[in-house]
Amino acid sequence: MIGGFLGLLLMGHAYMIVLVFMCQTLVYREVTALFSLKRKPKDEEEARGKDPWSKTLNWYFFAVVNYFLYGESIIYYFKHVVFSDAQLTMFATNHRFISFSLYILGFVGFVMSLKRGYLKQQFGLFCWVHMTLLLIVVSSHFIVNNILEGMIWFFVPASLVICNDVFAYIWGVTVGRTPLIKLSPKKTVEGFIGAFFSTVVFGILWGTYFMQFDYMICPVRDLGASAFDGVVTCTPNPAFVWRDWTIPAPLNVFFSTLIGRSITTISYAPYQYHLLFLSCFASLVAPFGGFFASGFKRAFDIKDFGHSIPGHGGMTDRMDCQFLMGVFTYVYYSSLIREHHVTVGSILQMVVSGLTVQEQLELMADLKRYLEGQGIAVRL
């Protein structure tokens, strides 16, 4: 599993997006199947009365929500491609209306499928599907956005969750004595605390190593690029740029005496501070996604969500913490780290969607005149 994951990571962003989509599909199937776990019908009449639209509506809403979310990502991250093609521009300008129309079609289909005597069950299914779409599909959308912002924003946070899970087990087995939470009797306070410190150390070292590769830190521009091409380059986000911290005089003397040589500065990257916060979240908050899933399983009296992964239960059992971590990473990155620059894609979007054809021609003429004034030959 680890080898396959790393192979897809090196093959490119498109493969990782497909992997996330496959995982969310399996998780969605496992969770929505829980609502179908009913007692056997008491008689043949009840069996015939089972809602025939249930699975169809489940997957219809799943497809519509994915169409909307993936379309939003494509339009946002590939403006320079979408708004330079007339057919894709039509898709971009009408995307939300099409998505809403598709959703309304499903809503009308649901209302038409309502049957007297089964209304409570059908409305329960409707609410269950929408809750699952919110918790799983929308969360996966943010994880995909993390991949498009730079592979490091997906790979390192996912690694932190796995690391925390492993160290929680190791510390729990070796020194664990005090139960942590009733929903997961095997979890211990000692394992929780030990995993916290281990994950913080691991996270800073692990992230610092991967931040030196352009393939990991560059936002995607070409979905066909891979780690083997060696052509992925970009101006790094300031968070990845090394800086020097001048040590105050008293500490300077102390460190110089301790090390045995003069030391006046310490090199650091702001990303290392961000790794500290990501590691803390992966250790202190993300595990509650697993506790939430444990409560879910207890509510339905099941051991595992499914058997998608032999020996590991269902995909939901492996992804419960990852969804929470992925959403936090996206919110943290977009709020505190992402740079907002004017790009060719954003200008092209404004021109295509905000100017008439005549105004676009005037803009081209003015831009041509400006460039020629700078001594640049322009052929239109």
PDB file of all heavy atoms in Angstrom, residues 40-61:
ATOM      1  N   LYS A  40     -34.928  -7.835   8.092  1.00  0.00           N
ATOM      2  CA  LYS A  40     -35.607  -8.472   6.973  1.00  0.00           C
ATOM      3  C   LYS A  40     -37.100  -8.148   7.012  1.00  0.00           C
ATOM      4  O   LYS A  40     -37.699  -8.114   8.086  1.00  0.00           O
ATOM      5  CB  LYS A  40     -35.401  -9.982   7.033  1.00  0.00           C
ATOM      6  CG  LYS A  40     -33.949 -10.390   6.811  1.00  0.00           C
ATOM      7  CD  LYS A  40     -33.810 -11.894   6.843  1.00  0.00           C
ATOM      8  CE  LYS A  40     -32.357 -12.298   6.614  1.00  0.00           C
ATOM      9  NZ  LYS A  40     -32.183 -13.771   6.667  1.00  0.00           N
ATOM     10  N   PRO A  41     -37.705  -7.914   5.873  1.00  0.00           N
ATOM     11  CA  PRO A  41     -39.134  -7.596   5.846  1.00  0.00           C
ATOM     12  C   PRO A  41     -39.951  -8.745   6.419  1.00  0.00           C
ATOM     13  O   PRO A  41     -39.643  -9.914   6.209  1.00  0.00           O
ATOM     14  CB  PRO A  41     -39.423  -7.377   4.353  1.00  0.00           C
ATOM     15  CG  PRO A  41     -38.297  -8.063   3.646  1.00  0.00           C
ATOM     16  CD  PRO A  41     -37.120  -7.956   4.528  1.00  0.00           C
ATOM     17  N   LYS A  42     -41.001  -8.389   7.124  1.00  0.00           N
ATOM     18  CA  LYS A  42     -41.823  -9.399   7.778  1.00  0.00           C
ATOM     19  C   LYS A  42     -42.624 -10.224   6.769  1.00  0.00           C
ATOM     20  O   LYS A  42     -42.939 -11.370   6.990  1.00  0.00           O
ATOM     21  CB  LYS A  42     -42.759  -8.730   8.777  1.00  0.00           C
ATOM     22  CG  LYS A  42     -42.022  -8.045   9.920  1.00  0.00           C
ATOM     23  CD  LYS A  42     -43.003  -7.379  10.869  1.00  0.00           C
ATOM     24  CE  LYS A  42     -42.271  -6.683  12.001  1.00  0.00           C
ATOM     25  NZ  LYS A  42     -43.216  -6.008  12.929  1.00  0.00           N
ATOM     26  N   ASP A  43     -42.928  -9.634   5.669  1.00  0.00           N
ATOM     27  CA  ASP A  43     -43.677 -10.396   4.669  1.00  0.00           C
ATOM     28  C   ASP A  43     -43.327  -9.899   3.274  1.00  0.00           C
ATOM     29  O   ASP A  43     -42.601  -8.935   3.091  1.00  0.00           O
ATOM     30  CB  ASP A  43     -45.189 -10.280   4.917  1.00  0.00           C
ATOM     31  CG  ASP A  43     -45.615  -8.825   5.084  1.00  0.00           C
ATOM     32  OD1 ASP A  43     -45.138  -7.974   4.295  1.00  0.00           O
ATOM     33  OD2 ASP A  43     -46.408  -8.538   6.001  1.00  0.00           O
ATOM     34  N   GLU A  44     -43.834 -10.568   2.294  1.00  0.00           N
ATOM     35  CA  GLU A  44     -43.507 -10.256   0.905  1.00  0.00           C
ATOM     36  C   GLU A  44     -44.018  -8.893   0.498  1.00  0.00           C
ATOM     37  O   GLU A  44     -43.405  -8.180  -0.276  1.00  0.00           O
ATOM     38  CB  GLU A  44     -44.110 -11.327  -0.002  1.00  0.00           C
ATOM     39  CG  GLU A  44     -43.668 -11.208  -1.460  1.00  0.00           C
ATOM     40  CD  GLU A  44     -44.244 -12.320  -2.305  1.00  0.00           C
ATOM     41  OE1 GLU A  44     -44.787 -13.287  -1.709  1.00  0.00           O
ATOM     42  OE2 GLU A  44     -44.164 -12.213  -3.533  1.00  0.00           O
ATOM     43  N   GLU A  45     -45.131  -8.472   1.077  1.00  0.00           N
ATOM     44  CA  GLU A  45     -45.708  -7.164   0.734  1.00  0.00           C
ATOM     45  C   GLU A  45     -44.771  -6.050   1.149  1.00  0.00           C
ATOM     46  O   GLU A  45     -44.557  -5.080   0.424  1.00  0.00           O
ATOM     47  CB  GLU A  45     -47.068  -7.012   1.414  1.00  0.00           C
ATOM     48  CG  GLU A  45     -47.762  -5.689   1.080  1.00  0.00           C
ATOM     49  CD  GLU A  45     -49.107  -5.553   1.777  1.00  0.00           C
ATOM     50  OE1 GLU A  45     -49.546  -6.543   2.409  1.00  0.00           O
ATOM     51  OE2 GLU A  45     -49.683  -4.462   1.686  1.00  0.00           O
ATOM     52  N   GLU A  46     -44.161  -6.206   2.345  1.00  0.00           N
ATOM     53  CA  GLU A  46     -43.225  -5.175   2.817  1.00  0.00           C
ATOM     54  C   GLU A  46     -41.987  -5.151   1.935  1.00  0.00           C
ATOM     55  O   GLU A  46     -41.411  -4.097   1.668  1.00  0.00           O
ATOM     56  CB  GLU A  46     -42.836  -5.449   4.274  1.00  0.00           C
ATOM     57  CG  GLU A  46     -41.956  -4.347   4.871  1.00  0.00           C
ATOM     58  CD  GLU A  46     -41.625  -4.628   6.330  1.00  0.00           C
ATOM     59  OE1 GLU A  46     -42.280  -5.495   6.931  1.00  0.00           O
ATOM     60  OE2 GLU A  46     -40.704  -3.967   6.838  1.00  0.00           O
ATOM     61  N   ALA A  47     -41.547  -6.329   1.485  1.00  0.00           N
ATOM     62  CA  ALA A  47     -40.363  -6.394   0.617  1.00  0.00           C
ATOM     63  C   ALA A  47     -40.624  -5.653  -0.696  1.00  0.00           C
ATOM     64  O   ALA A  47     -39.765  -4.950  -1.208  1.00  0.00           O
ATOM     65  CB  ALA A  47     -40.011  -7.852   0.326  1.00  0.00           C
ATOM     66  N   ARG A  48     -41.844  -5.824  -1.249  1.00  0.00           N
ATOM     67  CA  ARG A  48     -42.180  -5.127  -2.490  1.00  0.00           C
ATOM     68  C   ARG A  48     -42.282  -3.622  -2.282  1.00  0.00           C
ATOM     69  O   ARG A  48     -42.117  -2.849  -3.210  1.00  0.00           O
ATOM     70  CB  ARG A  48     -43.499  -5.676  -3.040  1.00  0.00           C
ATOM     71  CG  ARG A  48     -43.391  -7.081  -3.621  1.00  0.00           C
ATOM     72  CD  ARG A  48     -44.591  -7.359  -4.533  1.00  0.00           C
ATOM     73  NE  ARG A  48     -45.849  -7.177  -3.825  1.00  0.00           N
ATOM     74  CZ  ARG A  48     -46.491  -8.157  -3.198  1.00  0.00           C
ATOM     75  NH1 ARG A  48     -45.975  -9.384  -3.184  1.00  0.00           N
ATOM     76  NH2 ARG A  48     -47.646  -7.937  -2.585  1.00  0.00           N
ATOM     77  N   GLY A  49     -42.558  -3.206  -1.056  1.00  0.00           N
ATOM     78  CA  GLY A  49     -42.741  -1.787  -0.789  1.00  0.00           C
ATOM     79  C   GLY A  49     -41.453  -1.038  -0.536  1.00  0.00           C
ATOM     80  O   GLY A  49     -41.471   0.142  -0.280  1.00  0.00           O
ATOM     81  N   LYS A  50     -40.299  -1.726  -0.596  1.00  0.00           N
ATOM     82  CA  LYS A  50     -39.020  -1.061  -0.361  1.00  0.00           C
ATOM     83  C   LYS A  50     -38.760   0.008  -1.426  1.00  0.00           C
ATOM     84  O   LYS A  50     -39.004  -0.211  -2.611  1.00  0.00           O
ATOM     85  CB  LYS A  50     -37.900  -2.101  -0.367  1.00  0.00           C
ATOM     86  CG  LYS A  50     -36.535  -1.524  -0.010  1.00  0.00           C
ATOM     87  CD  LYS A  50     -35.478  -2.614  -0.038  1.00  0.00           C
ATOM     88  CE  LYS A  50     -34.106  -2.039   0.258  1.00  0.00           C
ATOM     89  NZ  LYS A  50     -33.055  -3.086   0.187  1.00  0.00           N
ATOM     90  N   ASP A  51     -38.261   1.124  -1.010  1.00  0.00           N
ATOM     91  CA  ASP A  51     -38.038   2.252  -1.907  1.00  0.00           C
ATOM     92  C   ASP A  51     -37.056   1.884  -3.017  1.00  0.00           C
ATOM     93  O   ASP A  51     -35.877   1.646  -2.753  1.00  0.00           O
ATOM     94  CB  ASP A  51     -37.495   3.435  -1.101  1.00  0.00           C
ATOM     95  CG  ASP A  51     -37.134   4.616  -1.991  1.00  0.00           C
ATOM     96  OD1 ASP A  51     -37.680   4.712  -3.090  1.00  0.00           O
ATOM     97  OD2 ASP A  51     -36.306   5.433  -1.555  1.00  0.00           O
ATOM     98  N   PRO A  52     -37.477   1.838  -4.271  1.00  0.00           N
ATOM     99  CA  PRO A  52     -36.579   1.444  -5.356  1.00  0.00           C
ATOM    100  C   PRO A  52     -35.617   2.558  -5.765  1.00  0.00           C
ATOM    101  O   PRO A  52     -34.682   2.324  -6.511  1.00  0.00           O
ATOM    102  CB  PRO A  52     -37.546   1.107  -6.502  1.00  0.00           C
ATOM    103  CG  PRO A  52     -38.715   2.006  -6.247  1.00  0.00           C
ATOM    104  CD  PRO A  52     -38.838   2.106  -4.750  1.00  0.00           C
ATOM    105  N   TRP A  53     -35.860   3.797  -5.317  1.00  0.00           N
ATOM    106  CA  TRP A  53     -35.042   4.930  -5.728  1.00  0.00           C
ATOM    107  C   TRP A  53     -33.822   5.143  -4.837  1.00  0.00           C
ATOM    108  O   TRP A  53     -32.984   5.971  -5.130  1.00  0.00           O
ATOM    109  CB  TRP A  53     -35.892   6.199  -5.719  1.00  0.00           C
ATOM    110  CG  TRP A  53     -36.584   6.447  -7.021  1.00  0.00           C
ATOM    111  CD1 TRP A  53     -37.689   5.822  -7.495  1.00  0.00           C
ATOM    112  CD2 TRP A  53     -36.199   7.386  -8.025  1.00  0.00           C
ATOM    113  NE1 TRP A  53     -38.035   6.312  -8.725  1.00  0.00           N
ATOM    114  CE2 TRP A  53     -37.132   7.289  -9.081  1.00  0.00           C
ATOM    115  CE3 TRP A  53     -35.167   8.320  -8.137  1.00  0.00           C
ATOM    116  CZ2 TRP A  53     -37.056   8.057 -10.215  1.00  0.00           C
ATOM    117  CZ3 TRP A  53     -35.103   9.099  -9.274  1.00  0.00           C
ATOM    118  CH2 TRP A  53     -36.034   8.967 -10.298  1.00  0.00           C
ATOM    119  N   SER A  54     -33.698   4.425  -3.735  1.00  0.00           N
ATOM    120  CA  SER A  54     -32.678   4.720  -2.731  1.00  0.00           C
ATOM    121  C   SER A  54     -31.269   4.785  -3.318  1.00  0.00           C
ATOM    122  O   SER A  54     -30.602   5.815  -3.259  1.00  0.00           O
ATOM    123  CB  SER A  54     -32.733   3.679  -1.610  1.00  0.00           C
ATOM    124  OG  SER A  54     -33.971   3.754  -0.938  1.00  0.00           O
ATOM    125  N   LYS A  55     -30.795   3.676  -3.900  1.00  0.00           N
ATOM    126  CA  LYS A  55     -29.424   3.646  -4.412  1.00  0.00           C
ATOM    127  C   LYS A  55     -29.245   4.593  -5.582  1.00  0.00           C
ATOM    128  O   LYS A  55     -28.196   5.237  -5.728  1.00  0.00           O
ATOM    129  CB  LYS A  55     -29.055   2.226  -4.830  1.00  0.00           C
ATOM    130  CG  LYS A  55     -28.579   1.358  -3.682  1.00  0.00           C
ATOM    131  CD  LYS A  55     -27.949   0.076  -4.197  1.00  0.00           C
ATOM    132  CE  LYS A  55     -27.381  -0.718  -3.027  1.00  0.00           C
ATOM    133  NZ  LYS A  55     -26.754  -1.989  -3.476  1.00  0.00           N
ATOM    134  N   THR A  56     -30.247   4.677  -6.439  1.00  0.00           N
ATOM    135  CA  THR A  56     -30.149   5.578  -7.592  1.00  0.00           C
ATOM    136  C   THR A  56     -29.944   7.013  -7.139  1.00  0.00           C
ATOM    137  O   THR A  56     -29.066   7.733  -7.644  1.00  0.00           O
ATOM    138  CB  THR A  56     -31.416   5.481  -8.457  1.00  0.00           C
ATOM    139  OG1 THR A  56     -31.630   4.121  -8.829  1.00  0.00           O
ATOM    140  CG2 THR A  56     -31.279   6.337  -9.704  1.00  0.00           C
ATOM    141  N   LEU A  57     -30.732   7.455  -6.163  1.00  0.00           N
ATOM    142  CA  LEU A  57     -30.599   8.820  -5.646  1.00  0.00           C
ATOM    143  C   LEU A  57     -29.280   9.009  -4.920  1.00  0.00           C
ATOM    144  O   LEU A  57     -28.652  10.069  -5.016  1.00  0.00           O
ATOM    145  CB  LEU A  57     -31.767   9.150  -4.716  1.00  0.00           C
ATOM    146  CG  LEU A  57     -33.096   9.462  -5.413  1.00  0.00           C
ATOM    147  CD1 LEU A  57     -34.207   9.616  -4.391  1.00  0.00           C
ATOM    148  CD2 LEU A  57     -32.974  10.717  -6.250  1.00  0.00           C
ATOM    149  N   ASN A  58     -28.833   8.001  -4.172  1.00  0.00           N
ATOM    150  CA  ASN A  58     -27.536   8.086  -3.491  1.00  0.00           C
ATOM    151  C   ASN A  58     -26.441   8.483  -4.463  1.00  0.00           C
ATOM    152  O   ASN A  58     -25.700   9.450  -4.244  1.00  0.00           O
ATOM    153  CB  ASN A  58     -27.181   6.734  -2.863  1.00  0.00           C
ATOM    154  CG  ASN A  58     -27.947   6.470  -1.586  1.00  0.00           C
ATOM    155  OD1 ASN A  58     -28.744   7.282  -1.144  1.00  0.00           O
ATOM    156  ND2 ASN A  58     -27.717   5.308  -1.002  1.00  0.00           N
ATOM    157  N   TRP A  59     -26.337   7.727  -5.544  1.00  0.00           N
ATOM    158  CA  TRP A  59     -25.241   7.938  -6.476  1.00  0.00           C
ATOM    159  C   TRP A  59     -25.495   9.108  -7.421  1.00  0.00           C
ATOM    160  O   TRP A  59     -24.547   9.717  -7.938  1.00  0.00           O
ATOM    161  CB  TRP A  59     -24.987   6.644  -7.256  1.00  0.00           C
ATOM    162  CG  TRP A  59     -24.424   5.584  -6.357  1.00  0.00           C
ATOM    163  CD1 TRP A  59     -25.063   4.489  -5.867  1.00  0.00           C
ATOM    164  CD2 TRP A  59     -23.105   5.568  -5.802  1.00  0.00           C
ATOM    165  NE1 TRP A  59     -24.237   3.778  -5.046  1.00  0.00           N
ATOM    166  CE2 TRP A  59     -23.029   4.408  -4.986  1.00  0.00           C
ATOM    167  CE3 TRP A  59     -21.995   6.395  -5.907  1.00  0.00           C
ATOM    168  CZ2 TRP A  59     -21.876   4.076  -4.287  1.00  0.00           C
ATOM    169  CZ3 TRP A  59     -20.849   6.067  -5.206  1.00  0.00           C
ATOM    170  CH2 TRP A  59     -20.787   4.922  -4.417  1.00  0.00           C
ATOM    171  N   TYR A  60     -26.749   9.446  -7.641  1.00  0.00           N
ATOM    172  CA  TYR A  60     -27.025  10.623  -8.466  1.00  0.00           C
ATOM    173  C   TYR A  60     -26.537  11.888  -7.758  1.00  0.00           C
ATOM    174  O   TYR A  60     -25.833  12.715  -8.357  1.00  0.00           O
ATOM    175  CB  TYR A  60     -28.524  10.731  -8.759  1.00  0.00           C
ATOM    176  CG  TYR A  60     -28.861  11.965  -9.584  1.00  0.00           C
ATOM    177  CD1 TYR A  60     -28.713  11.959 -10.961  1.00  0.00           C
ATOM    178  CD2 TYR A  60     -29.304  13.135  -8.968  1.00  0.00           C
ATOM    179  CE1 TYR A  60     -28.994  13.079 -11.721  1.00  0.00           C
ATOM    180  CE2 TYR A  60     -29.584  14.263  -9.716  1.00  0.00           C
ATOM    181  CZ  TYR A  60     -29.425  14.228 -11.096  1.00  0.00           C
ATOM    182  OH  TYR A  60     -29.693  15.356 -11.829  1.00  0.00           O
ATOM    183  N   PHE A  61     -26.907  12.047  -6.491  1.00  0.00           N
ATOM    184  CA  PHE A  61     -26.449  13.225  -5.747  1.00  0.00           C
ATOM    185  C   PHE A  61     -24.932  13.220  -5.600  1.00  0.00           C
ATOM    186  O   PHE A  61     -24.292  14.278  -5.632  1.00  0.00           O
ATOM    187  CB  PHE A  61     -27.124  13.279  -4.378  1.00  0.00           C
ATOM    188  CG  PHE A  61     -28.546  13.762  -4.411  1.00  0.00           C
ATOM    189  CD1 PHE A  61     -29.573  12.971  -3.931  1.00  0.00           C
ATOM    190  CD2 PHE A  61     -28.864  14.996  -4.932  1.00  0.00           C
ATOM    191  CE1 PHE A  61     -30.887  13.406  -3.966  1.00  0.00           C
ATOM    192  CE2 PHE A  61     -30.175  15.460  -4.974  1.00  0.00           C
ATOM    193  CZ  PHE A  61     -31.193  14.652  -4.494  1.00  0.00           C
TER     194      PHE A  61
END
